[in-house]
Structures are given as C-alpha cells and as structure tokens.
Amino acid sequence: MSARYEELKGLKNIGQKYAYSDREVMLYACGIGLGADPMDENELAFVNEGTFTPRPLKVVPTFASVAAWGSGPGEMNLNRVMVVDGERDITFHQPLPVAANITADSSVVEVYDKGKDKGVVISHQTVLKNEKGEKLATLVAARFARGDGGFGGPNLTQPDPHMIPSRAPDRTIDIVTRPDQALVYRLCGDRNPLHSDPEFAKKAGFPRPILHGMCTYGITCRGVLQTYADYDASAFRQHIARFSSPVYPGETVTMDLWKDGNTISFEAKVKSRGVTVIKNGKTVLG
C-alpha cells in the first residue's frame, strides 16, 4: 500500500470544539435566501425569532454544514487550486438546537485514486455532537483533487450515486437567487475570494464571482423544505447532492422533484444557461 494513501486514510481530528448562537442560525437562513419576502410567515420562522407574538426560531437542517465551519480531519497537502467539492451527504440524528456548544469528530472515510492526471476523490466525515455527547448530524463530503492522483492507492470504485426516477417530475419550482447572495453567504464561514472578488474570479476562469456550491446545496434543502416537508425542519433525516456546475448570484435555480414515499429525489438547473447544477439529489423525510 502506498505511503500517501496511508497518510490520507489515517487522518483524524477528534473533539474539535465549536459554538454557535441564534445569530449564526438566522444568518445561514438569510444566506440561502429565506426571508426574501419579509411577510412570509413560513420563512420568517427561520430568520426572525418573533417579538410581539413570540414563537420559537427554526433551524434549517443544512445549517449543520456551517455549524462547525473549519472542522476537518487534518491537512491533506493537496493542490488547492485544483480541488473542487464533489458531493455532500448529511444525516440528521436529531433537530439542531437554536444555540449550542458542540464538538466535531472528523476522519477520512476512503481515498479513491483515479490515476495519474485523473485526480483523487477523498471522502471524509464529520460527526457533530452536543454537550452530552449525543450525535446531532453526520456530514460526509467528497473532495475531488484533480491534481493529486496517481500515487498508487488501491483500485477502488466509488459508490453509485442515487438514481433519479425516469418519469416526469412530480413538482418543479423556481428559486431566485439575489445578486449579492454570495456576499451574504460567505459570512457563514467560507471566505474563498472566488465568491466575492471579481478579479480573482476572472483569474480562476469565471466571468464573475460564482455562488458557493454549499449555498446551492442549502437552496435545494430549502426547496424540499417549502414543498414536501411543509417547512418542518425536524422531518429531515438525510440530504444528499452532487455538484455539477456553478450558479452565478442572481440566477434562477429550477428544481425538479420526485416523491416516492419518504424519499424525495431532485435535480437543479439554471435554465437560462442550459446547465444542470445539482445531480443525483435525495432527501429522506420521516
């Protein structure tokens, strides 16, 4: 077995400590576009705690993706210019509290060496726990390092993605993003200038800053939340998506959704450019 494979596979970081409050919860909800209509009571429940008539603040399930921003299994020594986010899979063990002190346990799950000039996919997970040590959420991320393959890792095959039904979608919805949405979302933790600096974006090969992939991921959660979940955040058991193309802030994201029992399949497109931005999406409700 190659030393590089063993190095990556052995990465682990246990007991990372984080804390968040209702401020971060509301900021994330605004970052994925909830509250765009300040009179929509369903969305206000995620961005405003209620004053005249108090009501409990709700937490968007995918807030889990930023609750312990910066956590991870350790330094992977990758060519960061060539690294892209490939997939995200979050399992929700219980509803996230509005404010909490949490710990994050991170480890590498598997390393898929695709060969020289083909890159490597690194799957790693982070388990979020409350102060009692109870699991809140398990996050699994697939990181595609396009410039780091061919180091002699085992010939492994990645699990097959969730298959989208072949029938026509049961529902289709449009979600409009704001031109400044990436500037708001970056305040949740991801300060990558690709999403905020026009000069940096052009040097990276884009005509202007792109929306964070994880913001698009949150938008797909929002799409399921407002349709089949009836704004019940506690109904989410799992939310999976694969990233296939970026969204530019201000574009309209069109979600196609299929319902089969408690499983919601989805894909997302930007029709104006004829591109699919999210593939093989699946939400499990319960």
Side-chain angles (χ1 to χ4, degrees), residues 147-168:
D148 289 275
F151 51 76
N155 185 19
L156 301 175
T157 302
Q158 289 179 257
D160 292 332
H162 172 67
M163 296 302 295
I164 298 298
S166 58
R167 68 180 187 274

Side-chain angles (χ1 to χ4, degrees), residues 239-266:
H239 190 71
I240 306 173
R242 283 194 168 193
F243 308 106
S244 56
S245 189
V247 174
Y248 289 97
E251 291 185 322
T252 297
V253 175
T254 299
M255 278 187 72
D256 291 331
L257 302 102
W258 295 260
K259 186 177 188 302
D260 294 286
N262 289 336
T263 298
I264 311 300
S265 303
F266 61 86

